Amino acid sequence: MSEWSLVYDRYDPAEQGLREALCTTGNGYFCTRGAFPWVKAGEIHYPGTYVAGGYNRLTSKIGEHEQEHEDLVNFPNWLGLTFRIDGGEWFDLDKVEILSFEQSLDLQEGMLKHAIRFRHDKNRETTLTLRRFVHMGWPHHAAQEMVLVAQNWSGTVEFRSDLDGQVGNRGVARYAHLMSHHLDYIASGEFSGVLSPDKMIYLITRSSQSRVRVGMAARTRVFRSNVWQEDAEITVNAIDGYVEALIPVEVARGEPIRVEKICTLYTSRDKAISEAGLAAREALDRCRNIAQLQQTHIRAWANYWERCDIVLHPSLHEEQKILRLHIFHLLQSASNHTLDLDVGLPSRGWTGESYRGHVFWDEVFMLPFLTFRLPIVSRSLLEYRYLRLGRARLNAQLEGFRGAMFPWQSGSDGREESKPMHFDCATGTWTPDDSRRQRHVNTMIAWNVWHYFLASGDRRWMGLRGAEIIVLIARFFASLAKYNPAEDRYDIEGVLGPDQFHHGYPATQPHSGVKNNAYTNVMVAWLMDTVLTVLDVLDDIYRRELMQKLDIQKEELD
């Protein structure tokens, strides 16, 4: 089982940020960091929920400068689930004596689990077990369960379950100088369903600039000795951007109290819905219980592992676990739920705010795995590039080139998200940011398109989409390259290679790029050879239509 589990056997606040990232659970539609359900964002903990492609643009004033930045939004936190005993303080793991602790991420079942025993006021000892998952089969559902056992005491325990939209983007220290409030409050409150008699809660927010409306709904049930307390008194409180349900229950010594919380999440970009908040409430009403969700969730993960697992030699236990951890996170960022979302593949997945959730060139390392196992997912990720082809052509035109020039950092619409100037928090100064000169991102996109075709044989997509991407990227590099008659070759100047720290020649041109970067030149040589092959393999109709659409003449081919 160790080859399927990431296990921590002690609580270490200094490591909590890393653990929360590694223990993220998601399904390709949204992801939630592995924070405890009772914590708020602070120096130690950082709960975060991120919707694939959920960007928002703000403008921050830094000194005399204004800087526009687009960020992956930290959407409302659905995790909130905590308790207090006999009207005391709300539970805080950092303020009790921890007797035992284990946190495990079950990669096979996609389940985050905790087992904690602690001692608190009046020498009370309590055990907590928790499990959580973001449903791999049903993209809009997530659930968690808490089991509390009073080992040597009895009393009244009040549980608090909430949806918290009073959150911001504060997960990356070097972005602290930027505006971080992306959400506007729309509505919150309680509701009852048609199928479920429970008193449930909902929250609706909207990103301030991109106007993505997010609806969340949550149902919390309390069980004593596995009997649902249907008559439990539930008090709902709602203020701007926040809604909570308070549920008191009497606890006897040694008696397990189980709390299950199910959450649904929809956005205004989803298909076949009327409104995000209504869709979330209706989906929650239809959902029976956590047992049903868990069964279907595990079955969905089993299907993915059947296609995607890579089994190493039995002696390679640690390597096997690490490999599966990587596969697990890749599938949480790009799954079958990605197909209709119009999203790329960020360098850190949908697990946090580093790099602002932007799409770089990292899919060149990830698509080979997906293409041979989930080729339709690879095609979806390449569609993200195709749909931004118009913007890529504008990017090239604005810098005096032909063809299509894709950005080094891409977000919602395909403009270049790298800024000409970068604010250094450590020194408080502005310095040039040359990362946009990494033109090899374009050869990578062409490489991915071509190798998707070689692996899948998808001639229709290649004729309708893929070939156009490759031809326009080749046209861009043809206009970027300059003939050098003295050497009888072409030179490419003003670029950064994958080693982005060499951004020029220090003595003469420190921020103007380098000349004839080896990686870039080799990939362009490959591209210029391949683009002719691409045109040859197209069906006659597709080739003729593409030649007409892009006005490809014999002189250009030569």
Side-chain angles (χ1 to χ4, degrees):
M1 188 62 184
S2 62
E3 295 175 355
W4 287 101
S5 295
L6 181 66
V7 179
Y8 302 101
D9 58 8
R10 65 186 182 88
Y11 174 55
D12 185 350
E15 291 291 317
Q16 193 60 24
L18 174 61
R19 293 181 184 182
E20 289 177 355
L22 291 176
C23 292
T24 294
T25 50
N27 58 16
Y29 177 81
F30 78 98
C31 289
T32 296
R33 285 170 57 85
F36 299 128
W38 50 79
V39 301
K40 303 292 184 181
E43 294 183 2
I44 298 176
H45 308 285
Y46 193 75
T49 290
Y50 307 95
V51 176
Y55 297 107
N56 191 64
R57 197 175 295 278
L58 296 175
T59 298
S60 297
K61 187 169 184 179
I62 309 167
E64 298 301 317
H65 298 265
E66 287 190 347
Q67 185 179 89
E68 186 183 77
H69 49 96
E70 186 175 66
D71 301 274
L72 180 65
V73 176
N74 180 17
F75 281 104
N77 180 22
W78 67 273
L79 291 179
L81 183 61
T82 187
F83 60 92
R84 61 182 176 183
I85 301 168
D86 292 335
E89 293 185 358
W90 294 104
F91 176 68
D92 185 347
L93 187 63
D94 295 294
K95 295 181 179 179
V96 301
E97 179 186 357
I98 300 174
L99 304 177
S100 65
F101 177 92
E102 183 176 280
Q103 175 176 321
S104 63
L105 179 64
D106 186 324
L107 305 173
Q108 190 169 28
E109 296 185 349
M111 197 85 60
L112 178 60
K113 304 174 183 178
H114 295 87
I116 306 170
R117 187 181 180 107
F118 59 93
R119 182 182 294 123
H120 42 125
D121 60 305
K122 301 178 182 178
N123 282 321
R124 290 169 167 160
E125 290 191 14
T126 306
T127 60
L128 276 182
T129 57
L130 304 100
R131 56 178 172 149
R132 174 196 312 165
F133 57 93
V134 175
H135 202 291
M136 197 61 179
W138 302 354
H140 305 283
H141 291 70
Q144 59 181 325
E145 178 185 78
M146 173 186 290
V147 179
L148 181 149
V149 180
Q151 297 296 332
N152 61 355
W153 56 274
S154 300
T156 301
V157 175
E158 184 179 32
F159 292 95
R160 184 181 70 199
S161 174
D162 62 57
L163 299 173
D164 185 4
Q166 297 178 339
V167 297
N169 276 48
R170 305 181 187 93
V172 181
R174 67 179 180 274
Y175 302 155
H177 59 289
L178 300 176
M179 296 285 289
S180 62
H181 184 74
H182 290 275
L183 296 178
D184 295 331
Y185 168 68
I186 303 297
S188 62
E190 64 180 77
F191 72 101
S192 295
V194 177
L195 303 176
S196 172
D198 307 69
K199 184 184 288 188
M200 298 173 278
I201 59 176
Y202 74 94
L203 172 67
I204 304 173
T205 57
R206 183 178 60 201
S207 54
S208 58
Q209 173 269 332
S210 57
R211 316 299 276 181
V212 177
R213 192 177 177 106
V214 173
M216 284 185 175
R219 183 182 71 206
T220 307
R221 289 176 174 174
V222 177
F223 298 77
R224 290 187 63 181
S225 299
N226 219 28
V227 177
W228 176 28
Q229 304 299 289
E230 294 186 62
D231 299 327
E233 179 183 349
I234 300 178
T235 302
V236 174
N237 301 310
I239 58 175
D240 288 358
Y242 175 86
V243 58
E244 65 181 13
L246 302 174
I247 312 171
V249 61
E250 294 301 316
V251 176
R253 177 174 178 171
E255 179 185 31
I257 303 297
R258 182 168 65 87
V259 183
E260 66 173 42
K261 179 179 183 180
I262 298 172
C263 180
T264 52
L265 185 160
Y266 280 79
T267 83
S268 53
R269 293 181 175 177
D270 290 322
K271 298 179 180 180
I273 67 168
S274 172
E275 185 271 329
L278 177 62
R281 294 193 296 271
E282 291 180 341
L284 183 63
D285 184 31
R286 295 192 299 268
C287 190
R288 294 208 305 268
N289 53 50
I290 199 170
Q292 176 204 27
L293 281 176
Q294 178 174 302
Q295 182 183 30
T296 51
H297 166 74
I298 293 174
R299 186 184 306 141
W301 263 114
N303 292 335
Y304 277 102
W305 282 119
E306 186 176 4
R307 290 189 178 197
C308 299
D309 191 20
I310 298 175
V311 180
L312 303 181
H313 189 276
S315 64
L316 301 174
H317 298 292
E318 189 66 16
E319 292 85 349
Q320 181 71 78
K321 179 176 68 176
I322 293 171
L323 177 58
R324 283 176 173 152
L325 178 64
H326 281 271
I327 295 172
F328 177 80
H329 277 288
L330 179 53
L331 294 176
Q332 291 191 137
S333 296
S335 72
N336 289 337
H337 304 310
T338 306
L339 302 182
D340 295 323
L341 296 183
D342 182 28
V343 296
L345 197 53
S347 58
R348 294 283 292 270
W350 309 111
T351 64
E353 298 154 26
S354 291
Y355 305 111
R356 302 198 178 100
H358 290 161
V359 179
F360 294 75
W361 74 319
D362 303 78
E363 65 251 44
V364 73
F365 308 111
M366 296 181 267
L367 286 183
F369 175 87
L370 292 171
T371 296
F372 283 101
R373 292 158 181 84
L374 301 170
I376 194 170
V377 176
S378 285
R379 190 175 76 179
S380 169
L381 296 169
L382 295 172
E383 280 280 323
Y384 168 83
R385 297 295 191 178
Y386 178 79
L387 292 172
R388 285 149 187 81
L389 197 54
R391 182 70 201 209
R393 298 183 77 169
L394 176 61
N395 294 343
Q397 182 182 356
L398 291 175
E399 297 206 24
F401 302 114
R402 300 176 67 233
M405 185 180 75
F406 286 90
W408 176 240
Q409 289 191 50
S410 181
S412 60
D413 62 6
R415 75 182 73 181
E416 177 59 78
E417 299 294 347
S418 302
K419 304 306 173 188
M421 299 294 289
H422 169 74
F423 182 72
D424 188 334
C425 302
T427 62
T429 59
W430 290 85
T431 57
D433 182 355
D434 305 298
S435 59
R436 62 177 53 218
R437 293 180 178 272
Q438 294 180 80
R439 310 301 189 197
H440 56 272
V441 63
N442 294 275
T443 61
M444 175 276 299
I445 293 170
W447 174 276
N448 288 337
V449 169
W450 179 239
H451 283 83
Y452 164 75
F453 169 71
L454 293 179
S456 68
D458 191 345
R459 288 183 173 274
R460 183 174 180 273
W461 188 84
M462 194 65 177
L464 293 173
R465 299 277 200 268
E468 185 176 355
I469 296 174
I470 294 176
V471 168
L472 287 174
I473 290 174
R475 182 175 281 175
F476 161 68
F477 279 109
S479 66
L480 179 64
K482 304 300 180 186
Y483 183 65
N484 180 344
E487 300 285 346
D488 189 25
R489 71 180 190 192
Y490 286 88
D491 292 331
I492 295 178
E493 300 183 3
V495 302
L496 269 67
D499 175 8
Q500 64 194 49
F501 299 101
H502 287 84
H503 49 70
Y505 301 96
T508 55
Q509 297 173 309
H511 293 286
S512 58
V514 300
K515 180 178 180 179
N516 291 326
N517 168 257
Y519 182 91
T520 305
N521 282 18
V522 168
M523 289 301 294
V524 172
W526 166 84
L527 172 63
M528 294 303 172
D529 182 55
T530 301
V531 67
L532 301 177
T533 307
V534 169
L535 294 172
D536 286 341
V537 302
L538 293 181
D539 294 341
D540 290 343
I541 294 177
Y542 286 135
R543 181 169 56 253
R544 183 174 65 252
E545 291 177 347
L546 182 65
M547 300 280 282
Q548 293 172 348
K549 180 179 181 180
L550 300 183
D551 191 24
I552 302 172
Q553 303 295 326
K554 182 180 183 300
E555 292 77 16
E556 183 175 19
L557 295 179
D558 292 340

